[in-house]
Amino acid sequence: MKLRFILLLFTTVVTAIAKAEITLPNIFSDEMVLQRETEVLLYGWARPNEEITVYTSWDNATTEIQAGNNAKWELKVATPKAGGPYEIRFKGDNEIVLKNVMIGEVWLCSGQSNMEWSANSKIDNRDLEVENANYPNIRLFTVAKRTANYPLEDVAGSWAVCTPETMQDFSAVAYFFARKVQKELNIPIGLIDSSWGASCAEVWTPASVFEAHPELEAAHELIAPNQWVTIEKSTLYNAMIAPLTKFKIGGALWYQGESNTANAETYQQIFTNMISSWRAKWSTDFPFYFVQIAPFKYGREYEGGIVRDQQRRTLSLKNTGMAMTSDICTVEDIHPQNKQDVGLRLANIALKQHYKVWPDQEVYGPLLESATIEGNEIKVTFSHAEGLHSKDKKNTFFEISDREGNWFTAKAKLKKGFILVSSNDVQNPKDVRYAWKSTDIGNLYNGAGLPASTFTSE
């Protein structure tokens, strides 16, 4: 009986090997978008040493390759200018034909619930937005929620054309971003949504970062478990980002930070290292644009302000951009319903910085440039400050500190292009900060109507 079982098992294994077929990762499917005017990697699995031909219709080229004895194969192909639809054919012991493939711009969209938030989660003008979401040149891929202890090679999901049916369950911020970029560039846009509500940055960060920066381990211990997602570091990176790192992207969008208020003081460090690690895995310094979290009633009085400032400081990393949102939120709701302006502001940053469409358009609110002590005042200057103004005369969102580090509400005098901050309680000021409380919705804007970022000079 035992011998018969062994023979049956052997026969099953041999048959399975003999019938091994070309298999593609799920990121390759009908309706997909490939990054334009670059070299993209096509890859998958097959029978060990199987001979495979790959045909791409945009250049009418056929290439022969052979799978390795590890049953894997890969091929670099050059992509043309934006356009389509095209076909890609893979032929070996079996044949796979990918249809309606477009060439354009691919953006990875990640973060926590504000990125995951869809029209069906409730957004402003929900019914009208869904009804008009017919964009055949916008393609959507939602990565299924998975965790893993080690980096995986595939994700669950498939591409879909943007329609009212598919848009309503997709990331609203990503959709509104793509709608604007697609309109301005008139090229196909592919969106990959890999997000998970309530997730902290640590779960999206590779293990190598924690190995190189053990101090981040201690910071991670401050994150409390929640009922919606694991807080185990690297697990979402392993399952939902690592499998995509062979797939060429044009850039990344990020909306996250609310779940890092517990260790707010180290957010810049984890965030900067996360961005750098992703770029290293993709072997390219792609643009990375993120959303500054909105004011909200968090547990501690200042933790929201600290994260906002940490995000501002992350702009020191090259090829990044930040959309401010303090003017399109309510402190009562951690999920602002106005996702249209969030997506639009991210799109405007991309159109100016990456696509060079609007070189003269302002896409940022005022950002701290310098804070200089002048007697009992601090002179604060800003970049992106043309048309600097306050929406009321009080300017109560400024605070100033003395030499002992005590903070006092300050008066702010708006001058042409800068602000003088002072307090009757502080004769020898040290630092200045603005909109520092978690719930502070500041009143300082530039001429483009964009709000100033929270900051501290400390």
Side-chain angles (χ1 to χ4, degrees):
M1 187 69 178
K2 186 176 180 180
L3 180 59
R4 286 180 60 191
F5 174 77
I6 293 174
L7 289 173
L8 178 61
L9 180 63
F10 176 77
T11 303
T12 302
V13 171
V14 170
T15 302
I17 293 173
K19 291 184 177 180
E21 296 183 335
I22 298 173
T23 305
L24 301 175
N26 289 314
I27 196 65
F28 294 108
S29 74
D30 296 342
E31 329 295 354
M32 71 185 295
V33 178
L34 291 176
Q35 184 64 29
R36 62 175 173 161
E37 298 179 273
T38 188
E39 277 194 335
V40 301
L41 192 69
L42 305 178
Y43 55 96
W45 303 269
R47 175 172 49 80
N49 304 309
E50 182 177 351
E51 300 286 345
I52 302 168
T53 60
V54 179
Y55 168 78
T56 48
S57 70
W58 57 79
D59 54 4
N60 199 32
T62 300
T63 305
E64 295 182 354
I65 57 172
Q66 186 178 29
N69 58 13
N70 61 355
K72 296 181 180 181
W73 58 269
E74 58 183 44
L75 171 68
K76 284 185 178 180
V77 298
T79 53
K81 294 181 179 179
Y86 297 109
E87 283 189 359
I88 308 176
R89 298 177 187 172
F90 305 87
K91 186 172 178 58
D93 294 344
N94 63 312
E95 184 175 26
I96 298 174
V97 180
L98 302 185
K99 299 178 180 180
N100 199 16
V101 174
M102 306 300 287
I103 306 294
E105 288 290 302
V106 180
W107 285 82
L108 172 66
C109 313
S110 188
Q112 57 180 109
S113 55
N114 271 310
M115 179 59 81
E116 185 182 357
W117 207 256
S118 69
N120 281 344
S121 302
K122 191 180 179 183
I123 61 171
D124 290 348
N125 302 315
R126 184 261 177 206
D127 292 344
L128 182 64
E129 296 291 8
V130 170
E131 180 183 348
N132 290 286
N134 279 302
Y135 289 93
N137 281 331
I138 296 177
R139 307 296 174 83
L140 314 174
F141 187 102
T142 301
V143 176
K145 292 181 172 68
R146 298 287 187 273
T147 63
N149 292 328
Y150 301 97
L152 304 182
E153 294 187 308
D154 201 3
V155 294
S158 62
W159 287 94
V161 175
C162 181
T163 66
E165 291 71 31
T166 58
M167 169 270 188
Q168 60 187 289
D169 288 314
F170 194 78
S171 165
V173 166
Y175 164 74
F176 291 123
F177 167 87
R179 187 175 71 176
K180 179 64 174 179
V181 173
Q182 204 276 325
K183 177 183 178 182
E184 295 298 327
L185 301 183
N186 193 28
I187 61 173
I189 305 293
L191 299 173
I192 304 171
D193 176 21
S194 184
S195 56
W196 195 327
S199 56
C200 57
E202 286 83 352
V203 300
W204 297 104
T205 303
S208 57
V209 168
F210 299 98
E211 293 166 2
H213 301 277
E215 68 276 13
L216 291 175
E217 295 264 9
H220 175 247
E221 292 175 2
L222 298 173
I223 301 290
N226 66 70
Q227 61 181 313
W228 301 284
V229 63
T230 178
I231 64 167
E232 188 177 350
K233 59 186 185 295
S234 307
T235 50
L236 301 196
Y237 169 81
N238 290 338
M240 299 175 64
I241 298 297
L244 302 171
T245 54
K246 286 186 175 183
F247 191 81
K248 181 77 84 173
I249 61 174
L253 306 177
W254 178 260
Y255 196 164
Q256 191 275 339
E258 300 91 343
S259 287
N260 280 93
T261 50
N263 59 0
E265 291 81 359
T266 57
Y267 189 77
Q268 181 192 5
Q269 186 181 11
I270 185 67
F271 190 32
T272 298
N273 278 286
M274 188 206 81
I275 296 170
S276 298
S277 68
W278 284 21
R279 287 172 167 173
K281 298 294 184 181
W282 263 278
S283 299
T284 179
D285 289 329
F286 52 75
F288 194 105
Y289 304 141
F290 54 93
V291 181
Q292 188 178 52
I293 64 171
F296 176 70
K297 293 180 178 179
Y298 292 102
R300 291 184 292 161
E301 186 176 14
Y302 299 114
E303 59 187 23
I306 295 171
V307 171
R308 295 195 297 270
D309 184 60
Q310 294 277 303
Q311 291 175 313
R312 177 190 66 86
R313 293 169 185 266
T314 301
L315 290 171
S316 62
L317 191 64
K318 66 179 181 181
N319 207 10
T320 56
M322 182 179 75
M324 289 83 139
T325 61
S326 63
D327 60 325
I328 49 175
C329 73
T330 168
V331 298
E332 306 294 335
D333 192 347
I334 201 170
H335 302 116
Q337 305 303 300
N338 182 352
K339 294 294 188 271
Q340 290 90 335
D341 282 335
V342 179
L344 179 64
R345 290 177 185 183
L346 287 170
N348 288 344
I349 293 171
L351 288 166
K352 178 173 183 173
Q353 291 187 194
H354 186 55
Y355 297 117
K356 314 298 183 185
V357 172
W358 298 327
D360 300 322
Q361 179 163 322
E362 182 58 81
V363 296
Y364 292 110
L367 292 167
L368 174 67
E369 191 169 77
S370 66
T372 307
I373 298 172
E374 297 186 351
N376 66 342
E377 296 179 310
I378 297 182
K379 179 181 179 180
V380 183
T381 63
F382 299 87
S383 57
H384 310 283
E386 185 174 348
L388 187 68
H389 67 280
S390 173
K391 286 201 170 182
D392 60 53
K393 296 180 180 180
K394 294 182 179 180
N395 283 316
T396 55
F397 295 98
F398 282 92
E399 297 173 275
I400 199 168
S401 71
D402 59 21
R403 291 293 166 176
E404 288 71 41
N406 302 306
W407 289 93
F408 300 86
T409 299
K411 296 178 292 184
K413 293 183 289 185
L414 182 60
K415 302 293 183 179
K416 189 174 182 179
F418 64 92
I419 289 178
L420 289 176
V421 183
S422 63
S423 170
N424 293 334
D425 298 312
V426 181
Q427 298 306 308
N428 296 295
K430 181 182 179 185
D431 288 297
V432 60
R433 65 190 186 190
Y434 168 76
W436 195 246
K437 291 182 180 179
S438 294
T439 54
D440 276 353
I441 298 178
N443 55 6
L444 193 63
Y445 290 76
N446 61 16
L450 294 170
S453 170
T454 290
F455 72 82
T456 181
S457 64
E458 190 174 24

